[in-house]
């Protein structure tokens, strides 16, 4: 079992910044990709950003230039720095991690979600 615990959500004004953190714990052999997804009311969950074990990143178009994903491999932690926030960024943000908990044994885990609300 691999658990993900997110933190950093809250209420922020438009134009402001927020930093989300997600720490993975449990039986971890290696983590390949870590990412952030979000789900707004009435909408499907969407990928926000993902970072691979080699540090390569990918972002959805709507957050490019505003959000930055990073990871600390020693701490099994991924971060999402969100700048220039907009009301349309309001959503529950979920952390995701994929990797191995043993040789040839894969896992894919989700965090419980953290609410980010951007007021106009």
């Amino acid at each position: 079992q691999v658990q993900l615990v997110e933190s950093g959500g809250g209420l922020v004004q438009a134009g402001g910044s927020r930093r989300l953190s997600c720490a993975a714990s449990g039986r971890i052999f290696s983590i390949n990709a870590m990412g952030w997804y979000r789900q707004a009311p009435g909408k499907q969950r969407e990928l926000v950003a993902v970072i691979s074990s080699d540090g390569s990143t990918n972002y959805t178009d709507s957050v490019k230039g505003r959000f930055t994903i990073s990871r600390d491999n020693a701490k099994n932690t991924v971060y999402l720095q969100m700048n220039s926030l907009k009301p349309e960024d309001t959503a529950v943000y979920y952390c995701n991690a994929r990797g191995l908990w043993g040789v040839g044994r894969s896992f894919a885990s989700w965090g419980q979600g953290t609410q980010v609300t951007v007021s106009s």
Side-chain angles (χ1 to χ4, degrees), residues 17-40:
S17 298
R18 203 79 183 181
R19 188 192 195 206
L20 304 182
S21 300
C22 171
S25 63
R27 189 173 178 181
I28 298 171
F29 181 70
S30 65
I31 298 179
N32 298 331
M34 300 187 82
W36 289 96
Y37 291 71
R38 66 186 179 187
Q39 187 167 18

Side-chain angles (χ1 to χ4, degrees), residues 19-83:
R19 188 192 195 206
L20 304 182
S21 300
C22 171
S25 63
R27 189 173 178 181
I28 298 171
F29 181 70
S30 65
I31 298 179
N32 298 331
M34 300 187 82
W36 289 96
Y37 291 71
R38 66 186 179 187
Q39 187 167 18
K43 294 187 177 181
Q44 289 187 332
R45 189 175 298 188
E46 64 169 351
L47 173 67
V48 177
V50 62
I51 184 167
S52 300
S53 57
D54 63 0
S56 60
T57 59
N58 199 15
Y59 298 89
T60 191
D61 286 346
S62 62
V63 307
K64 285 180 180 178
R66 300 189 297 122
F67 291 12
T68 302
I69 189 169
S70 61
R71 62 190 282 177
D72 184 333
N73 291 329
K75 297 181 179 180
N76 289 329
T77 299
V78 63
Y79 306 95
L80 185 68
Q81 178 65 44
M82 305 183 293
N83 298 327

Side-chain angles (χ1 to χ4, degrees), residues 14 85-91 118-120:
L85 282 161
K86 304 176 181 180
E88 51 263 42
D89 294 318
T90 295
V118 184
S119 63
S120 58

